[in-house]
Amino acid sequence: MSNRTSNDLTGDGGVLLSLEQTLLPGSPTVVEGQSVTLRYEGMFPSTQITFDSGIMSFVVGRGEVIEGVDQAVRHLSPGMKATVAIRHDYGYGEAGLPGKIPPRAALLFNLEVVSCSSESPASGDSLPALPPSNPLASSPASEEGLVETLVVGGASLKMDRLGPIVLNTDGSTSRISNWHEMTSEEQENTMRLIARRNKKRIEAAACE
């Protein structure tokens, strides 16, 4: 990354994006609500050891991946490659991902946008390697069953039999497609991330 200029996407140094090529004027970038297919390699910057790699599909802006990756793809167009450095609070948070990601771990991802479209990916396409975030604090009873309110890390979290109810940036709600495929440890970590980021979004909405 040293030979390329890093763009501070969040304004606080939490997500630094370095492009391998310049985005041409007028080139369409990935936008919220689109389904994107991404080739990725995740590493620890201190050791350059790869902890995961592969191809995944997800819908941008629905909290289906860690926030740093979700932010980065919005500045890319199909075919583009980039490297993104992600601070822990835009990654797996204070707790990390037990057995895989240490607590407060900084991450480095090599990304390539394979394609994007307006269609949602098939259920199960997104990978638990980059787990979700963000629910709703004022959701009525779900049509999937009774909604239970939990308190996680001081923030309320709405749950039903399908798992957490996710709050999107536009105020709509969505689901984590692979919730029941996660291990209990992955679910617990994801719930902490969701509760924390849910609180931030509710506070932001109250200030608008």
Side-chain angles (χ1 to χ4, degrees):
M1 289 177 57
S2 58
N3 295 327
R4 291 175 283 172
T5 302
S6 294
N7 300 310
D8 185 351
L9 304 186
T10 55
D12 60 1
V15 183
L16 301 176
L17 181 70
S18 183
L19 302 176
E20 287 195 4
Q21 68 263 46
T22 303
L23 182 66
L24 297 176
S27 297
T29 56
V30 176
V31 297
E32 184 170 333
Q34 284 188 317
S35 170
V36 60
T37 298
L38 192 68
R39 181 175 287 110
Y40 69 95
E41 179 186 21
M43 298 174 287
F44 299 115
S46 58
T47 62
Q48 297 292 304
I49 293 176
T50 298
F51 61 82
D52 199 10
S53 63
I55 297 178
M56 66 180 301
S57 296
F58 61 95
V59 177
V60 179
R62 291 191 181 175
E64 295 179 359
V65 295
I66 57 175
E67 187 172 355
V69 170
D70 196 271
Q71 290 286 339
V73 297
R74 302 175 195 221
H75 297 264
L76 305 177
S77 60
M80 289 191 70
K81 297 180 180 180
T83 300
V84 58
I86 301 174
R87 200 171 60 206
H88 74 279
D89 49 333
Y90 290 95
Y92 293 88
E94 296 286 336
L97 188 63
K100 196 165 194 176
I101 308 294
R104 295 180 59 86
L107 306 173
L108 189 67
F109 280 92
N110 292 323
L111 304 177
E112 178 184 0
V113 176
V114 178
S115 65
C116 66
S117 70
S118 297
E119 298 179 357
S120 297
S123 177
D125 281 352
S126 57
L127 303 182
L130 305 177
S133 324
N134 304 329
L136 187 64
S138 57
S139 174
S142 167
E143 54 187 38
E144 298 297 340
L146 294 176
V147 175
E148 179 183 9
T149 301
L150 306 179
V151 177
V152 182
S156 61
L157 176 62
K158 299 290 186 178
M159 297 276 295
D160 64 16
R161 67 183 183 85
L162 294 182
I165 300 173
V166 177
L167 174 65
N168 303 321
T169 54
D170 63 358
S172 63
T173 61
S174 60
R175 294 293 183 165
I176 300 169
S177 62
N178 60 335
W179 174 254
H180 292 296
E181 298 171 13
M182 293 181 179
T183 65
S184 58
E185 287 183 336
E186 289 172 337
Q187 288 181 342
E188 289 174 4
N189 184 64
T190 298
M191 287 171 63
R192 286 192 291 267
L193 288 172
I194 286 176
R196 185 184 75 244
R197 294 170 63 188
N198 173 64
K199 183 179 180 181
K200 289 181 180 179
R201 285 193 175 172
I202 292 173
E203 290 173 349
C207 293
E208 293 180 354

